Amino acid sequence: MARTNVFISSVNEDGLKPLRRNAIQELTTLGHEPLMWEVNLGPWPAGIDPVVKCLEAVQHCDIYLLFIGSKAGTYDKIAQRTVTHMEFIKAYEQGKTILVFGDVEIKATFFSTVKPIIEHFVDRYIVKEERFPSPTHIINTIRANRNITSHVDPYVWYFLYDMTMRKVYIDDLSLGVPIDWRSYLSDLLRRGSLLLPLESSIEQNSSRLEQFDGVFDMLGELIPELRISGLRDAEHFLELIMNRLSGGIIEQSYGQYMSEKVGYYEDCSGATLYVFNEEQLQIITNVGDATGPPFYLLDNQSSYAVLTYHLGDNQEQVFFKEAKATFYYCIRIGKYILTLHFPSDPNWDYRKFIHYKECANHAILSKNPLIIELIKLFIGGLRP
Amino acid sequence: MRTGAFVSKNGVVSKAVGVQPKEALLFAPSKKNSSQILREQRIAMKHNNKQIKDRFAQATKRA
């Protein structure tokens, strides 16, 4: 029967040695297979990169166990991370079960003193630079701060900060007090026991999702083969589209794990459909609060419909008008221009749009691209 | 591709610089369109699906 493979990661510092020894013994006694660099993982022959081998071992483990003390360990200048941190990131990216134990005093200092200092620095940096600071920036700030104790390597604080950003829970570690491994493993067994019986339901859902995806692929191939003679009820057609498109949150992301809400947009409140005919854009219909004129001349650069037409086939653009407090998501599909109107957060003005333009674009374009693709396919099949 | 924010005022399109009137129509070319975003979402979905299946296969495998 397969046994649980536990990768034990930590810096080889004196304070943690008894704890690591105890963990190896206890886990072995309980019937698991602990792996630790100094005990049963390496050294490897010359020419083999030990970091690569450690990361491979993390990749193949079932549980990743990490002890954090006051030392940071070996730092890799290119990765701007310590080897232990890279192991942690590998476990996180691979979706492993992660158990982290941090020295209780270091943890308390981190949450009470260091974390607020880092957050303050990060906030100010983002306002000034409009991006997230690098690890080196954060570590240098910690090092320069006299309110932060110097007996802990500055990198350790950054590592703890990265864990909290990833929402990984850090358990208390009291040096000299053994960890109750039976309780921890019993809790893991409980969690696994709740989920494993759902295997067939989850697999069934997963297969259905693949079927839906396959159907979507097929629609993408079949619809372009059709010549759709027209819309039976253009207004109803647009209403169906409008009613499907919901609002959303506009977020600014800073790196992979941090984002802040900078605004929102409401459900689609109006839509228009124009077609290019006789050197102008002629309205087919409009619904909701959209009130487009009967036609636009192609040199009218005040019109978002015309501007979108000139972008070319299959192009799209989000526009914003403060006076109307509205975002206009416009799509050109062949000779047609579809405009979708989303009321904006009332706090949005031209400054916010210019500042958060990419966030607004992304929020609206990525809300439900599947529906947009389907709409494009149908309108693309229409014979003008 | 054009980058930055643009404005349409009185029928003229230009780079959006300085104070803009409320009636101005603003826009900024996006790095990705909805088709590209959809492709990425579908790739992520397939990856997640595979990971779930692999995990269940590992979890239920008897050595």
Side-chain angles (χ1 to χ4, degrees):
Chain A
M1 195 170 282
R3 293 202 285 173
T4 307
N5 192 311
V6 186
F7 184 96
I8 301 177
S9 178
S10 85
V11 175
N12 191 7
E13 63 181 88
D14 288 346
L16 297 178
K17 275 182 180 167
L19 196 81
R20 285 148 37 111
R21 264 200 310 272
N22 173 270
I24 288 268
Q25 277 169 8
E26 272 279 313
L27 292 172
T28 308
T29 306
L30 290 170
H32 309 301
E33 279 187 8
L35 282 173
M36 197 162 75
W37 157 252
E38 298 85 350
V39 179
N40 53 3
L41 198 71
W44 293 280
I48 291 180
D49 187 337
V51 177
V52 172
K53 294 301 273 184
C54 276
L55 294 177
E56 279 174 7
V58 172
Q59 186 164 346
H60 294 121
C61 77
D62 300 306
I63 297 174
Y64 172 83
L65 180 57
L66 171 64
F67 299 121
I68 302 261
S70 60
K71 301 284 177 235
T74 311
Y75 181 79
D76 185 297
K77 274 187 183 170
I78 295 168
Q80 291 189 57
R81 306 285 188 285
T82 62
V83 174
T84 310
H85 196 167
M86 285 194 270
E87 290 168 355
F88 167 81
I89 292 169
K90 184 75 171 180
Y92 184 88
E93 297 293 337
Q94 293 286 316
K96 301 290 179 187
T97 293
I98 294 176
L99 298 177
V100 180
F101 295 88
D103 181 299
V104 70
E105 284 176 22
I106 292 174
K107 198 180 136 184
T109 307
F110 172 72
F111 283 107
S112 65
T113 311
V114 184
K115 188 166 177 262
I117 291 171
I118 297 176
E119 283 174 341
H120 181 65
F121 167 71
V122 169
D123 287 347
R124 276 189 311 150
Y125 191 92
I126 286 170
V127 168
K128 199 174 160 198
E129 305 286 335
E130 294 187 17
R131 62 190 163 94
F132 201 80
S134 70
T136 311
H137 277 112
I138 296 176
I139 293 162
N140 287 342
T141 301
I142 295 167
R143 192 173 280 124
N145 193 306
R146 288 181 183 175
N147 294 323
I148 298 176
T149 175
S150 60
H151 81 274
V152 176
D153 284 351
Y155 192 92
V156 170
W157 304 122
Y158 170 67
F159 193 1
L160 290 170
Y161 178 67
D162 185 47
M163 274 180 218
T164 57
M165 294 261 288
R166 294 171 196 261
K167 302 190 187 331
V168 171
Y169 184 74
I170 304 162
D171 248 307
D172 285 346
L173 176 68
S174 301
L175 299 181
V177 181
I179 292 166
D180 184 358
W181 292 110
R182 285 169 192 270
S183 299
Y184 274 101
L185 297 174
S186 175
D187 185 48
L188 279 181
L189 179 64
R190 179 188 65 79
R191 287 156 60 186
S193 304
L194 283 170
L195 293 173
L196 268 181
L198 299 181
E199 180 188 357
S200 63
S201 311
I202 294 170
E203 283 206 324
Q204 222 173 55
N205 277 3
S206 170
S207 298
R208 295 277 177 273
L209 193 59
E210 280 172 12
Q211 282 175 7
F212 281 120
D213 198 57
V215 169
F216 186 79
D217 264 342
M218 198 173 172
L219 283 173
E221 288 166 0
L222 288 180
I223 297 174
E225 297 299 321
L226 301 176
R227 276 194 301 182
I228 304 171
S229 61
L231 297 171
R232 204 167 281 139
D233 181 344
E235 200 175 321
H236 186 55
F237 178 81
L238 266 199
E239 273 170 355
L240 287 172
I241 292 173
M242 182 182 76
N243 294 335
R244 278 278 168 184
L245 298 171
S246 54
I249 290 170
I250 302 172
E251 283 181 312
Q252 165 83 64
S253 296
Y254 304 106
Q256 201 179 347
Y257 304 105
M258 190 180 169
S259 62
E260 68 167 326
K261 180 181 170 182
V262 294
Y264 65 89
Y265 60 98
E266 293 175 9
D267 295 349
C268 186
S269 60
T272 65
L273 186 61
Y274 282 88
V275 64
F276 174 76
N277 193 18
E278 295 176 359
E279 298 307 311
Q280 53 180 277
L281 291 183
Q282 296 176 350
I283 197 159
I284 295 175
T285 192
N286 55 277
V287 294
D289 59 15
T291 52
F295 66 90
Y296 283 115
L297 296 176
L298 287 187
D299 60 357
N300 182 349
Q301 296 221 330
S302 300
S303 155
Y304 40 81
V306 171
L307 290 173
T308 307
Y309 182 83
H310 287 306
L311 289 175
D313 192 13
N314 253 321
Q315 299 298 311
E316 50 195 44
Q317 180 68 63
V318 174
F319 297 86
F320 172 70
K321 192 176 265 191
E322 188 181 337
K324 301 272 185 187
T326 303
F327 293 108
Y328 304 94
Y329 178 15
C330 304
I331 307 162
R332 175 170 169 186
I333 313 143
K335 291 188 169 187
Y336 294 90
I337 299 290
L338 174 68
T339 76
L340 303 162
H341 304 191
F342 297 90
S344 72
D345 180 339
N347 292 322
W348 268 58
D349 55 16
Y350 77 89
R351 289 183 196 86
K352 269 205 162 179
F353 182 82
I354 291 171
H355 193 72
Y356 296 115
K357 51 192 181 295
E358 280 158 24
C359 313
N361 277 338
H362 183 75
I364 294 168
L365 264 51
S366 67
K367 183 69 197 294
N368 200 333
L370 201 62
I371 288 183
I372 297 296
E373 200 68 16
L374 198 62
I375 294 167
K376 282 185 191 173
L377 284 169
F378 278 115
I379 295 179
L382 275 175
R383 252 191 328 194
Chain B
M1 190 187 192
R2 296 187 305 171
T3 54
F6 294 84
V7 62
S8 170
K9 279 187 287 195
N10 306 317
V12 179
V13 173
S14 60
K15 271 238 174 201
V17 181
V19 179
Q20 302 298 332
K22 285 191 170 195
E23 282 296 331
L25 183 66
L26 293 154
F27 62 100
S30 175
K31 286 177 187 158
K32 292 176 192 169
N33 65 20
S34 60
S35 301
Q36 288 167 304
I37 294 170
L38 177 63
R39 265 195 297 279
E40 288 174 6
Q41 288 182 356
R42 290 178 74 194
I43 289 168
M45 181 271 289
K46 282 175 186 156
H47 171 79
N48 293 344
N49 244 7
K50 186 179 178 309
Q51 194 177 31
I52 289 169
K53 284 185 174 172
D54 289 350
R55 273 296 161 86
F56 273 120
Q58 272 180 43
T60 51
K61 187 176 73 182
R62 301 271 176 221

